[in-house]
Amino acid sequence: MGREAALALVNNAALLISLTVIYSALYIRFKKEKLLLQKIISGLLLGVIAMAVMVDSWELSPGVVFDTRSVVLGLTGLYFGFIPSIITVIMTSILRILMGGSGATVGVSVIICSATTGLLWRYRRRRALHQMTLVELYLFGIVVHIFMMIGMLFLPADSRNAFFSVAAVPVMLVYPIATALTGWAMSSKEAQLRGEEAVHELSLARKRLAAIVEASPVPIVSLDMGYNVTEWNQAAEKVFGWKRSEVIGRPLPIVPEEDIQTHRDLTEKTRSGDYQRGTLLLRKRKDGSKVVVRLHNATIFNEEGQPEGILGILEDVTRQQEAEQALKESEMRFRELYTNMNTGVAIYKVGNNDEAVFLDMNPAGCRITGVSRDEVVGRRVEEVFPGVIEMGLYDIIIQVFKSGLSQRHPLKKYKDDRIAFWTDNYVYRHGEDEIVVIFEDITQREKTLEELERRVKERTAELETANKELESFAYSVSHDLRAPLRAIKGFAQIISERYAGALPSEAGRYFNHIVGAGENMSILIQDLLDYSRLGRAALKIEAVSLAQTVDKALDTLRSKVKEERGKVTVEGTLHFVEADVTLLNRVLANLIENALTYHPPERPPEINISSRREDGYVYLTIKDNGIGIDRKFYKRIFDIFQRLHSAEDYPGTGIGLAIVRKCVDLMGGEISLESTPGEGSVFSVKLKEALN
Amino acid sequence: MSAVVILLVEDNLMDVELTLDAFAQVGLKNTVTIARTGEEALNYICGKGKFADKKNFPTPDLVLLDLKLPGISGHEVLAELKNDERTRRIPVVVLTSSHEEGDRAVCYDNGVNSYLVKPIDFGEFVKVVRAIGDYWLTLNVGPPETLR
């Protein structure tokens, strides 16, 4: 061939190598989606190489130029894609045209054809270029140059002949090989770089995974085929206590002694594909304490698809477990309570149209109402217990449902054809539409109460009768005592008067004592008669004027008032009260008389009478400036025959206040006393106000 | 008419003695016959049994009647006397220790002529007896001759 030809060949080879370099430098390092700029730059560079190839051609014979542009363009189309190919095609076409000559058209068409073939092959191959084999590339080379041959047929005759006689065979021998070799170099490079990238990706992925595992709040552990720990993340350290260094390469320390075999079996199961999804296991910590974990695991496979270990995620659910356990226990507790309690609980669901349907009833409730749970669940309340409507409970249920406010009804009677009982009900709403009725059977209690009331009534009646009998007795006794008293006094009087002269003075004196005692007895009997007479006469309660009563009393006591030099004042207006005239007269007469009697001899009595109204009652007060009464006698002085002074100091039998109290009691009022010994007393009588 | 006959119907002997003493005090010289029971009183007034002898047991011109008697009560005696037309006109003065409304009501319903309460005090009692003497034996004009 000659030195020129050899040189051109070498140059071409070099340029073809540079193709490889450009490819690996610019193209395959970057991401899959190449930037437009990348493509343009690659295109330009390739264009330059193609043009360099064309310039560096060798002339086989006049007008017959050879270069490896077909290889370059074909490979450009195949490996670089559309945009770089277009650019390269344009650049080389322009150059070819500028170079001129008769084979220009053919030259350009060869350019275009090669590139096109490359592109078509590329898209058919769908970019798995790194997998292209040498053979395929050779085939590709053949195809490109066949098209080239076809193109050559259109050369002007003499060029054509020259070409086919001289060049065709070498071209068809060498060019496809060049194509294959260059392509193969590019593919290998790509494969290599892909491999590198894959390794890099893998490394990144590994690092990412490791970071996730470390950051995970949940323990993640892997074991190898020998059940030894290969991975132990930070969470595992925290939850279980062992440090990474303590466990790597050793059997899983968290498995309790007695569970080691089950643990191994579990591991085997996992390896054979039966992954654990949320299995609860009891494990232990470094300090010995127990921990409940939820296990999720999977097998780790190696490149050949063989298991090389298992990965497990162990959620510490101890606290949850404890909580669940506590909840279960609590639920049990309340369920037992519900089942065993002695009080009935009925639960209803209230739906549309105010329909109340049984959801449940506890055993006590069933017992009280005499039905079984199965009989009632799902049925309407009024179906099972027709009496609820009349009882009012149905309305209450609806009310509580609508308002959400609980209600308590301590006494309700339930009655239907089958049963009757008294209940104490508490009704409340649970959630949106459940009504709970808690009811206690108080029939027994009610019966007892009724019985008690009856007994009390009986007892009271008995007491009243006894009282009446006693009064009767007091009356007849005092009545009957008068006759003998009359005899005692009478005869004693006769003797002391008639036979005064015949008797020694002592005898006379003694008979006077008898008369005196008889006199006292007479007064006592009279008082007793008065007192016991009070309850016997029928009571006539009417509106009575206090003012009039006071006037009457003062009239009666006129001489006494004068005698004691007393001063009685009425303050303000006195009101009207509901009272019996006779009894009220008695009360006032006695109280005023007392006030006139019990004063220090040197201090004339000053009596102040007033009344006030309060809450439908009238409080009448009689205030005096007398000797007063010590606090400890406040109650006693109202007792019958109770005296605080001797008869010589102040006359009286001790019946006055007893009568006052009895009269006040009979009229349904109250009497009270406040006093300061030495200064005076205030008697207060409370009676119902007369309203007209 | 000679001395007015008074029938004192009283069970209690001491009361009887006091009454007679009071009569003496006052100077009433009337014949006072004592009947100790209601039955005896009625028999006497109606002249039953041994009292048929009206000469010795004359019909009283005034009956002083105590209410408290053994057997039939003073009320019954009063009722009997006032219901019988033969004895209706005889003035009956109830002389009792009872001040009771109930007793008074029954007596007046039965047509008693007067109701007096025996005081415990003897002095007072003498006054009452004097009053009886003054009024019933002196002032009051009795019924005409009754059917004896």
Side-chain angles (χ1 to χ4, degrees), chain A residues 187-406:
Chain A
S187 284
S188 302
K189 200 73 184 155
E190 169 144 5
Q192 182 203 354
L193 283 166
R194 283 235 171 152
E196 273 172 28
E197 234 175 52
V199 166
H200 179 68
E201 285 278 328
L202 191 65
S203 167
L204 273 176
R206 277 235 168 87
K207 285 210 181 78
R208 208 175 295 131
L209 188 66
I212 291 173
V213 166
E214 273 311 293
S216 165
V218 174
I220 300 179
V221 172
S222 346
L223 305 176
D224 63 19
M225 297 302 285
Y227 310 105
N228 294 323
V229 176
T230 49
E231 267 176 57
W232 184 263
N233 74 345
Q234 208 172 51
E237 286 186 344
K238 201 145 143 235
V239 170
F240 298 115
W242 283 279
K243 291 262 172 272
R244 205 163 182 281
S245 50
E246 294 174 301
V247 302
I248 294 291
R250 300 212 181 91
L252 196 55
I254 63 173
V255 182
E257 285 292 321
E258 59 273 18
D259 287 335
I260 290 186
Q261 193 49 51
T262 4
H263 158 69
R264 296 218 169 159
D265 295 341
L266 207 68
T267 314
E268 286 308 313
K269 263 172 96 180
T270 310
R271 280 205 208 125
S272 57
D274 186 1
Y275 295 167
Q276 298 306 305
R277 289 269 174 269
T279 314
L280 284 172
L281 297 164
L282 187 65
R283 293 286 177 255
K284 70 176 201 279
R285 294 197 179 89
K286 187 173 181 187
D287 64 9
S289 60
K290 296 285 182 210
V291 54
V292 179
V293 295
R294 188 173 278 137
L295 173 65
H296 314 266
N297 65 9
T299 314
I300 307 171
F301 294 99
N302 64 10
E303 277 148 17
E304 287 88 51
Q306 293 304 309
E308 72 170 14
I310 59 169
L311 178 97
I313 298 176
L314 305 156
E315 260 185 279
D316 179 359
V317 294
T318 318
R319 211 153 286 156
Q320 264 159 275
Q321 280 296 103
E322 280 166 12
E324 264 174 41
Q325 194 57 28
L327 188 64
K328 211 172 281 174
E329 269 175 39
S330 173
E331 151 76 25
M332 272 302 299
R333 192 179 301 130
F334 284 108
R335 182 139 283 274
E336 270 175 48
L337 189 68
Y338 177 79
T339 311
N340 292 314
M341 65 202 269
N342 218 19
T343 310
V345 179
I347 306 179
Y348 306 95
K349 192 175 173 76
V350 180
N352 307 326
N353 309 322
D354 295 344
E355 205 182 65
V357 169
F358 270 100
L359 273 184
D360 197 9
M361 181 133 83
N362 73 343
C366 294
R367 186 172 33 84
I368 293 172
T369 54
V371 295
S372 78
R373 189 184 174 274
D374 301 323
E375 269 177 68
V376 303
V377 172
R379 289 172 65 193
R380 297 164 69 140
V381 61
E382 65 270 24
E383 244 186 83
V384 186
F385 299 112
V388 286
I389 297 174
E390 198 183 316
M391 180 191 184
L393 187 63
Y394 181 78
D395 289 333
I396 293 166
I397 291 175
I398 301 302
Q399 274 170 32
V400 173
F401 167 67
K402 290 205 166 113
S403 69
L405 301 169
S406 327

Side-chain angles (χ1 to χ4, degrees), chain A residues 61-106:
Chain A
S61 64
V64 183
V65 176
F66 285 102
D67 57 56
T68 50
R69 80 178 90 124
S70 52
V71 177
V72 173
L73 286 161
L75 290 172
T76 304
L78 180 62
Y79 282 92
F80 287 82
F82 193 67
I83 291 173
S85 304
I86 287 281
I87 296 172
T88 317
V89 161
I90 290 170
M91 285 169 81
T92 47
S93 304
I94 291 171
L95 183 62
R96 186 65 188 80
I97 292 168
L98 287 174
M99 278 169 79
S102 51
T105 327
V106 172

Side-chain angles (χ1 to χ4, degrees), chain A residues 40 138-139 176 181 195 209 254 290 353 388 459 470 583 629:
Chain A
I40 293 171
Y138 183 71
L139 204 65
L181 287 173
L209 188 66
I254 63 173
K290 296 285 182 210
N353 309 322
V388 286
R459 201 57 56 76
L470 216 60
L583 298 180
I629 300 156

Side-chain angles (χ1 to χ4, degrees), chain B:
Chain B
M1 279 286 108
S2 57
V4 172
V5 175
I6 301 173
L7 176 67
L8 173 64
V9 188
E10 173 63 68
D11 162 60
N12 189 320
L13 279 178
M14 285 187 283
D15 272 334
V16 168
E17 199 165 336
L18 286 170
T19 310
L20 291 177
D21 194 295
F23 266 62
Q25 288 281 304
V26 169
L28 296 172
K29 303 257 191 303
N30 310 72
T31 313
V32 182
T33 313
I34 313 295
R36 298 215 39 225
T37 67
E39 205 179 328
E40 201 183 318
L42 286 171
N43 287 344
Y44 182 94
I45 296 169
C46 300
K48 290 226 182 91
K50 73 169 184 191
F51 302 111
D53 177 6
K54 280 291 159 187
K55 253 240 201 62
N56 288 324
F57 305 108
T59 314
D61 301 295
L62 176 67
V63 177
L64 293 176
L65 177 62
D66 184 19
L67 293 175
K68 209 144 197 285
L69 299 167
I72 60 172
S73 69
H75 289 295
E76 284 174 75
V77 170
L78 177 64
E80 276 276 343
L81 291 175
K82 292 301 175 183
N83 283 333
D84 190 342
E85 59 181 15
R86 293 173 298 168
T87 55
R88 187 182 292 164
R89 292 181 186 177
I90 303 173
V92 177
V93 171
V94 161
L95 190 61
T96 178
S97 19
S98 168
H99 211 281
E100 286 304 290
E101 250 183 52
D103 287 328
R104 280 149 52 199
V106 174
C107 288
Y108 279 105
D109 281 342
N110 281 329
V112 74
N113 296 82
S114 173
Y115 189 103
L116 299 174
V117 176
K118 279 190 275 190
I120 293 180
D121 185 82
F122 187 66
E124 295 297 314
F125 187 50
V126 170
K127 285 186 193 159
V128 169
V129 169
R130 176 167 293 134
I132 292 172
D134 286 347
Y135 188 88
W136 288 101
L137 303 173
T138 309
L139 201 55
N140 189 48
V141 180
E145 286 283 331
T146 46
L147 312 125
R148 293 188 188 236

Side-chain angles (χ1 to χ4, degrees), chain A residues 34 36 140 162 192 200 286 340 476 646:
Chain A
K34 315 282 190 283
L36 187 64
F140 172 66
Q192 182 203 354
H200 179 68
K286 187 173 181 187
N340 292 314
S476 40
S646 64

